[in-house]
Amino acid sequence: MSSVSYHISNLLEKMTSTDKDFRFMATNDLMLELQKDSIKLDEDSERKVVTMLLKLLEDKNGEVQNLAVKCLAPLVSKVKEPQVETMVDTLCSNMMSDKEQLRDISSMGLKTVIAELPLSSTGLTLTASVCKKITYQLIGAMGKQEDVSVQLEALDILSDMLGRLSGALVSFHSSLLSSLLPQLTSSRMAVRKRSILALGHLVPCCSPALFSQLTEHLLTELAKGPPTSMTRTYIQCLATISRQGGHRVGEHLEKLIPMVVKFTNVEDDELREYCFQAFEAFIRRCPKEMSPHVATVTQLCLKFMTFDPNYNYDDAEEEEEDSMDIGDGLDEESDDEYSDDDDMSWKVRRSSIKCLEALITTRRDLLLSFYSSICPALLARFKEREENVRADVFAAFSTLLRQTRVGSSHHGLIVAGSDSGASREEEPAVAMLKKQVPVIVKALHRQLKEKSFKSRQGCFCLLTELAHTVPGALEQHIPALIPGIVFSLTDKSTSSTMRIDALSFFHVLLLSHPPQAFQPHMQVLLPPVVACVEDTFYKITSEALLVTQQLVRVMRPLEQTGGFDPKPFVKEVFSATLKRLKATDIDQEVKERAISCMGHMVCHLGDHLGAELKGVLAIFLERLKNEITRLTAVRTITLISASQLKIDLSSILPEALSVLGSFLRKNQRALKLGTLACLTALVTHHAASIKPAALEPVLSELPALVDESDMHVSQVSVTLLTCMAKACPSSLAKISSSVLPGVFRLVHSPLLQGGALAAIVSFLQALLSSKTSNLSYSQLLKSLTEPFHSSPSSADSSVIHRQSYHSVARCVAALSSACPKETPGTVAGLIQEVKKAGSPESARVLALLCLGEVGRSGSLGGSKEVQGVILEAFTSTSEEVKTAASCALGSMAVGSLNDFLPFLLKEISSQPRRQYLLLHSLKEVISACPASSLSAHVESIWALLFQNCECQEEGTRNLVAECLGKLTIVNPAQLLPRLKQQLKAGSPLARSTVVTAIKFTIVDQPAPIDTLLKDCIGDFLKTLQDEDINVRRVALVMFNSAAHNKPSLIRGRLATVLPHLYKETQIRKDLIREVEMGPFKHTVDDGLDVRKAAFECMYTLLDSCLEGLDVLQFLDHVEEGLKDHYDIRMLTFLMLARLASLCPAAVLQRLDRLVEPLKATCTTKVKAGSVKQEFEKQEELRRSAMRAVAALLAVPEVERSPSMADFANQIRTNADMASIYQSVQGGEGGGFGPAESMDMS
């Protein structure tokens, strides 16, 4: 301890030296000492250090002064409160000094101290007392009218302090406001500006009363009609406080807007600019409250965005009509020469355009009206002469395109002419945009040859957005765009970023338009792109290689044989790409893209390469052996081997196969999958040139890959084995013994389903038909069914999972279809198995399922014996056997409808006790049969289902509903109206069945029923107002399903549906009843399920129909849900986290009301004697609430709200809450992991 004091006193002594170097070094050493965490000073040392440093602030040497200021930062946290106060007092009095240098250095010192004051709750007392001291002094300093620089410094420091520590100054807010407001009338512009900044920092944390006082003051002053310079200040202040204070301005807009509108008529450009900035702030911060004023503001923006009193545009337009060639260059220069330094009108134009952009960003709901009002106006301004303003016009138009894309159903690029785009209905906004495309291109193609980089960059960004938003729409206009692209690529003065922009737009254009559109222009397009491939800057090369790769596709698209001859261009492209492919000393990205580009060349133009081909393949082999490029090389070889040109790969095959085999041992999953795909392509297309010995290295690695730990790798491996069984059967004989046990383990695994199961089925069939393996039909069958025959007592049988029964049944059916002559024997064996009294349950279940799967292919006929077996199984005591029998019956009926369906329907009507099982069979029939074969039976099924739609048993009713829904899809035009009729006719039970049936007609792929559903879904949604609570619940579930799977069905109906949806979220006292359970009373809430369904709908709407929601109204109901039952609170916490990322502005408006319930949940403790479940529930609630809090804290500016800042402090200081917060943050990677997304299927 003493040694530190000794060391420090030593340094202090040196600081008094007359030699400035000594003083400098000593101060520097002191700073280093203070920065150590371990240092502790005694009181005497503290006092000495502080006194010394304050003295050094007045040192004659500037460098020593600067160092002394730097020492203050670490000192603040190392000394006790009195010393900090001494520092602050001295600094404040120095700030008033007459010496300018001392003033400057002291104000720097004060800023340093403010930046270091602790924010944590432990240090708040220090912070508060220091702030008090500084604030008193600063308020005094601002009053000093005689010296402006003192005033400016004081305002500057105050801004800093308010920006960082506004919470600690709450008690001063009103005195600060009253001392800042007079400064707005100062004669000095700088003082006014800094006062506005300080007010901006004061606004977020001040009380609503103070905010109103400030706004009222500005309104009163503006109403007096002050001189223009003062009006500017007040309007600027308005814009700043609405930017900073956000939603609070909303209450005052009614008075503010007319005032600001009035001032746009004053002939003063800067004032107008500030007016539009204020409008922009209002629109961004209070989009909802601005609704009544949107029309007024839009009109003003449209009027002033063309405001250019000193310039006449007419002649420019005529000139555009006359000439389109490069000769325009001369006229353009004369445009640029016109310059008037006093002309400020461009500021007005820019601010009004920015204001429009804010409108477009915040009000997606008005998109269609924007297309009729704003879109043409922006297009007309593409000719703007001022470069900065023009860039803003492009930016605003790009925003409009982005907003259109967010709403339209397809994301990403769809190559023009593909069906997926055509079948979807077109959004009205997209349709309006398509009409504008010719105008856009006409306005832009001249700009693409401008000298100004900024303009061209804006054009390319805008065109890229356009190509993304309406893929294929530019096809007609490609001839007009190409000269612009070529100009940017070849122009000597063009910067590299400009070239990269031009190339990346060209790439998007090539991806989103058909090859024929570019073929006529190849002569013009290729040379500049090839020149870019040879550029010295790697980023240009890399972009150019991407473009070249697409151009190769254009030269000879393999999908169609066109009349275009690529021959003249091959050599030029090939030599440039080869040069890059051979180079080893280039950027990784360029290497990869050169490999990929050359791969496309070989794939599309391999027959034009002649003798060069072998050399290229040899390079690919080299790249395959290199760890850095191997993945790209694997993908490229895959592409080449599948080429329609049948490229001869024999020169590299043997070596490539051994390298690929070694990759299967590597731990890199992407490499494994890529290698398997590559091998599959090679075996499929080049089997003839592969010698069985060459496959050895691959075959030895495969058994290890067939494993349930990675289903996807297993699936791809089995697919490769299947290809081998078909293409090189001899090589497979050796490994059947090593690979089959793994395959059977997979078949018996509970995880097997979907693609992997289909792959195994194909493999077993290929294995049988290849005849090479020494495994016969009966041996395979035995291996498959063995585990199911062990007696139930053995330990193994308990492990068999339900899924594996179905997998084995599928495989057995596949084997029997591969060997039709064995089928009758197999069937007889299976029937015996079911009948045999002694066979274990697992064997009987499996036998029934196998019968079903074999019957699915129609090979059973209407065998009476089978029907008898099934009926007998229905009487079994085992639930498993009954379920298997119902599954089997359904599958057989799919195979031979006419034999089994009448039998099934007869049983359903005559056997009420087995109805549930038989309906399961019927559901299977309806789901799996093609519509054409079902249509003959529709009437009889329909009648039968309606007889049972009022069944008391909910499970049976749901099955009936599912059958009805799936049957309706078979013939929607006829059956949907009938379902609608039933709504009017039926009892509550029948209505709930019909509404549930509609849920099953909504599928997530496009279907013919969609257009009919869209017209009549409104009638089904009317059941949200049904008097029966259960009908309302199922209506909500149906609505949720529609919102999740086909949002387009309900988007147009939200206005009518939402009020009823919100009504269902409210707690209804009349549905809560008390039940006596022995001595206890227990409350039961019958409305809980309906409320839960309603909140689930709200959650889904956030994802699918956000733009149709009024978020503030939505938040009102979320807020109620935060105080509801456990399940609903869990849901609303999720919604809150989602809303914080989707619409932070709205959440900030409601923050104060949302914090309380969150705080309540996080601080609640469970009663001491509660059961374990209660503790777990409460813990889960707190974690979920904490996730919502973490999401809110991620919103910028959130801690400006005093209540939120206070809660955040509480979390930091309370160990229990802090640990939950940490685990929520850390456990899910700082953001929100899988727990965040709810499964709504």
Side-chain angles (χ1 to χ4, degrees), residues 1060-1076:
H1060 304 298
L1061 170 63
Y1062 290 150
K1063 191 174 160 198
E1064 294 305 328
T1065 61
Q1066 285 151 13
I1067 298 178
R1068 285 179 47 187
K1069 295 276 190 292
D1070 53 325
L1071 293 175
I1072 298 176
R1073 55 197 167 88
E1074 276 200 342
V1075 182
E1076 290 193 5

Side-chain angles (χ1 to χ4, degrees), residues 148-224:
V148 176
S149 52
V150 173
Q151 258 181 322
L152 287 176
E153 287 295 351
L155 283 166
D156 212 9
I157 293 167
L158 193 61
S159 283
D160 272 15
M161 196 154 71
L162 282 169
R164 188 164 179 270
L165 307 163
S166 190
L169 297 173
V170 174
S171 50
F172 283 99
H173 280 173
S174 58
S175 55
L176 280 172
L177 186 66
S178 44
S179 59
L180 280 170
L181 288 176
Q183 305 300 333
L184 290 176
T185 55
S186 156
S187 55
R188 294 292 294 266
M189 180 80 162
V191 172
R192 298 204 298 262
K193 279 205 163 150
R194 287 199 189 174
S195 313
I196 291 175
L197 275 179
L199 283 169
H201 286 300
L202 175 70
V203 162
C205 291
C206 70
S207 65
L210 268 186
F211 189 83
S212 301
Q213 185 190 332
L214 169 58
T215 324
E216 291 302 322
H217 173 82
L218 292 174
L219 276 167
T220 332
E221 289 300 319
L222 282 169
K224 294 178 186 163

Side-chain angles (χ1 to χ4, degrees), residues 711-972:
M711 271 303 178
H712 187 52
V713 170
S714 300
Q715 177 186 336
V716 186
S717 309
V718 173
T719 311
L720 172 58
L721 284 167
T722 312
C723 289
M724 286 185 180
K726 289 177 183 162
C728 338
S730 57
S731 58
L732 212 61
K734 296 178 188 153
I735 63 147
S736 47
S737 51
S738 57
V739 97
L740 276 174
V743 172
F744 290 135
R745 269 200 306 278
L746 265 191
V747 175
H748 298 141
S749 152
L751 304 175
L752 182 72
Q753 55 182 3
L757 176 57
I760 287 183
V761 167
S762 328
F763 172 60
L764 290 173
Q765 287 180 322
L767 201 60
L768 265 184
S769 40
S770 72
K771 299 274 185 305
T772 50
S773 79
N774 38 16
L775 288 167
S776 63
Y777 174 83
S778 51
Q779 278 172 305
L780 285 172
L781 203 59
K782 184 167 176 289
S783 308
L784 280 170
T785 54
E786 210 162 20
F788 300 87
H789 289 279
S790 50
S791 60
S793 58
S794 75
D796 212 26
S797 66
S798 56
V799 188
I800 298 175
H801 190 274
R802 177 178 283 170
Q803 177 60 41
S804 45
Y805 285 99
H806 291 280
S807 308
V808 171
R810 282 274 303 275
C811 292
V812 170
L815 289 176
S816 98
S817 70
C819 293
K821 57 178 188 300
E822 302 274 1
T823 306
T826 309
V827 171
L830 290 169
I831 291 176
Q832 281 317 110
E833 192 67 62
V834 182
K835 284 183 172 174
K836 199 165 68 186
S839 58
E841 181 189 303
S842 57
R844 292 169 63 193
V845 170
L846 179 67
L848 281 165
L849 291 173
C850 290
L851 278 174
E853 287 299 331
V854 173
R856 192 183 278 271
S857 59
S859 49
L860 284 181
S863 150
K864 284 279 172 283
E865 189 182 5
V866 174
Q867 291 182 2
V869 168
I870 295 281
L871 286 181
E872 201 179 320
F874 276 145
T875 58
S876 161
T877 49
S878 149
E879 283 301 317
E880 292 294 326
V881 173
K882 286 185 195 169
T883 313
S886 89
C887 249
L889 182 56
S891 300
M892 293 172 196
V894 172
S896 41
L897 262 186
N898 299 338
D899 297 318
F900 284 97
L901 191 63
F903 163 73
L904 176 59
L905 296 178
K906 183 175 109 250
E907 287 292 312
I908 291 180
S909 36
S910 63
Q911 300 281 0
R913 302 225 355 246
R914 296 186 199 149
Q915 223 171 30
Y916 186 74
L917 293 168
L918 292 160
L919 281 168
H920 258 296
S921 311
L922 183 61
K923 181 187 92 178
E924 177 61 29
V925 176
I926 297 173
S927 311
C929 275
S932 51
S933 52
L934 263 181
S935 49
H937 306 276
V938 164
E939 289 304 325
S940 50
I941 302 178
W942 187 266
L944 178 74
L945 288 171
F946 266 110
Q947 286 162 21
N948 295 306
C949 74
E950 296 183 22
C951 172
Q952 289 304 312
E953 184 55 51
E954 185 174 8
T956 310
R957 265 205 325 275
N958 280 345
L959 260 182
V960 169
E962 190 168 347
C963 290
L964 274 173
K966 292 186 165 167
L967 195 59
T968 307
I969 299 178
V970 173
N971 183 353

